[in-house]
Amino acid sequence: MIGQFPESVLGWTNAARNGHELANHTLFHACPEKLGWQKSISIDNYTIDKIIKEISTVNSMLSLLDPKRKTRSFAFPCNNVFIAGTDYSEIIKNKGLVTYGRTGGDSNSVITDFKYLNRMQVPSWHVWTGTTLQQLISFAEKVKKTGGMGVYQFHGVGGQIFQISKETHRAFVYYLKEHQDDYWVTTFSEAMNFISDQQKE
């Protein structure tokens, strides 16, 4: 209808208002051409300057959806931090584009060494298609047992790629709610702010 936000815009805006973090993930999600990406938007054909412009553009777009957040965290497309052999993670941090970065990992990627954690290359569990509720819970229990931090990298809930069912995801959220005395469920940036304070001590 005329005069109303498109549904997707309203969804992201409401998510931000309800405490969710809208982080940067680039505009075109450049990944290696060998994984099926078109040559024009494959990371193989990117330059540092191009990725900087892209991240900056997305920051501007996100500021329209989530104006209260002044800094952004970043999820590296395809968990890749290199362009033409150069690690660009610290470059985008030093330019003030992002404060924290998330890369990949597996179900063993539990963070326990907070003091020496690279805040621009924080590992996460790339949750694959078919992951079960018990596997999601097992990772949480491993995090609790070690007193560490775990980052779940979900892509498609009920659709898209690397998907798990909506029912499985919902059941896991309910599990965390029922055990909220055992887990601190928060945004990536809030968790990283806490770790940053520890590293300063």
Side-chain angles (χ1 to χ4, degrees):
M1 293 178 61
I2 297 175
Q4 291 187 345
F5 275 125
E7 186 176 345
S8 58
V9 172
L10 187 61
W12 288 117
T13 301
N14 286 338
R17 287 175 178 168
N18 289 323
H20 294 277
E21 177 180 2
L22 303 188
N24 198 317
H25 196 41
T26 71
L27 190 59
F28 299 117
H29 199 282
C31 285
E33 190 175 354
K34 66 182 180 181
L35 295 181
W37 259 245
Q38 294 180 14
K39 188 173 183 178
S40 61
I41 57 171
S42 70
I43 198 69
D44 314 75
N45 293 289
Y46 263 59
T47 62
I48 298 295
D49 183 60
K50 184 174 181 178
I51 199 72
I52 286 172
K53 289 178 180 177
E54 194 170 315
I55 293 170
S56 180
T57 297
V58 173
N59 275 352
S60 296
M61 295 168 65
L62 289 173
S63 69
L64 298 175
L65 298 170
D66 182 17
K68 289 186 177 181
R69 185 174 292 277
K70 302 306 178 184
T71 60
R72 299 286 165 193
S73 59
F74 184 70
F76 290 89
C78 282
N79 303 317
N80 174 49
V81 301
F82 292 99
I83 291 178
T86 298
D87 182 343
Y88 70 94
S89 61
E90 288 299 318
I91 296 174
I92 58 177
K93 177 185 177 183
N94 293 336
K95 285 186 174 293
L97 293 173
V98 297
T99 50
Y100 307 118
R102 191 270 301 147
T103 57
D106 56 27
S107 58
N108 293 311
S109 299
V110 177
I111 301 157
T112 55
D113 188 354
F114 294 153
K115 184 175 181 180
Y116 295 104
L117 176 65
N118 182 342
R119 289 176 281 171
M120 282 303 298
Q121 295 187 29
V122 179
S124 63
W125 175 23
H126 182 186
V127 179
W128 287 85
T129 299
T131 297
T132 66
L133 173 61
Q134 186 53 53
Q135 288 173 312
L136 296 175
I137 292 174
S138 293
F139 183 68
E141 290 176 338
K142 192 182 303 183
V143 171
K144 180 177 70 172
K145 184 177 180 179
T146 60
M149 180 177 81
V151 180
Y152 290 84
Q153 183 186 152
F154 291 109
H155 276 82
V157 177
Q160 298 181 336
I161 61 173
F162 309 121
Q163 58 181 285
I164 65 168
S165 70
K166 290 184 290 185
E167 293 76 17
T168 297
H169 186 266
R170 187 178 295 114
F172 180 54
V173 172
Y174 285 149
Y175 164 81
L176 293 173
K177 178 66 175 176
E178 291 170 356
H179 296 82
Q180 57 186 324
D181 291 339
D182 296 323
Y183 303 107
W184 178 34
V185 180
T186 186
T187 65
F188 180 67
S189 283
E190 189 170 359
M192 292 308 302
N193 286 340
F194 175 79
I195 290 175
S196 296
D197 290 340
Q198 287 192 321
Q199 289 179 336
K200 293 173 184 176
E201 293 178 355

